[in-house]
Amino acid sequence: MDEEVIPVLYVENARTAVAWYARLGFAEQWEHRFEPGLPAFVEVARGPVRLFLSEHEGDARPGTLVYLRVRDVDAVAAEFGVPPQTAPWAREIELRDPDGNRLRVGTPTAR
C-alpha cells in the first residue's frame, strides 16, 4: 500500500458536489451512509488524486483550500470559463465548489 494524504471537504449535498467535481475530471469511487437518510461520505478520484466529500458536520470546515496540480490548467480553465493567471511557479486558476471550498488548480511552469 502506498501512503497518501486525502483531503476531506465538507459538502451540504454529496450528489451536487460529485457532479461539480466531475467537471474537474473526478469520478465517484464509492459512497457510505451509516443508514439510509443519514449523511453521506463519498470518495472521488482523478487518476491517483483522491478527495473525500463529507456531509457530516464537523468533518471539515467550509472554505478549505486544496491545491490541485494538473497537466493542463488551460483545459480546466476553459471548462469553468475562468482565465488562468501566471505566477512564477505555475499557471493557476482558483475555483469555489458549491459549498465554498476553494480549489487552486495549477500547472507548474518550467524553471
Side-chain angles (χ1 to χ4, degrees):
M1 179 190 96
D2 292 331
E3 294 183 357
E4 62 185 317
V5 172
I6 304 174
V8 178
L9 300 175
Y10 176 74
V11 298
E12 288 282 330
N13 183 299
R15 292 294 103 222
T16 300
V18 167
W20 190 87
Y21 281 90
R23 293 179 63 198
L24 273 172
F26 284 87
E28 181 176 340
Q29 302 301 295
W30 50 262
E31 176 183 307
H32 172 75
R33 293 175 190 265
F34 286 102
E35 292 181 19
L38 290 180
F41 192 90
V42 179
E43 179 183 327
V44 294
R46 175 187 164 122
V49 177
R50 296 192 243 201
L51 296 172
F52 289 152
L53 307 175
S54 178
E55 293 178 350
H56 295 266
E57 290 184 21
D59 273 358
R61 293 177 174 240
T64 296
L65 173 63
V66 173
Y67 195 96
L68 175 62
R69 189 173 284 159
V70 298
R71 286 186 185 86
D72 186 4
V73 73
D74 293 304
V76 177
E79 170 65 27
F80 287 89
V82 297
Q85 304 295 317
T86 301
W89 55 88
R91 286 180 46 77
E92 299 178 327
I93 60 173
E94 187 162 309
L95 304 171
R96 285 191 182 266
D97 75 9
D99 298 288
N101 295 301
R102 298 167 35 222
L103 283 92
R104 197 164 295 145
V105 184
T107 299
T109 53
R111 292 188 176 218

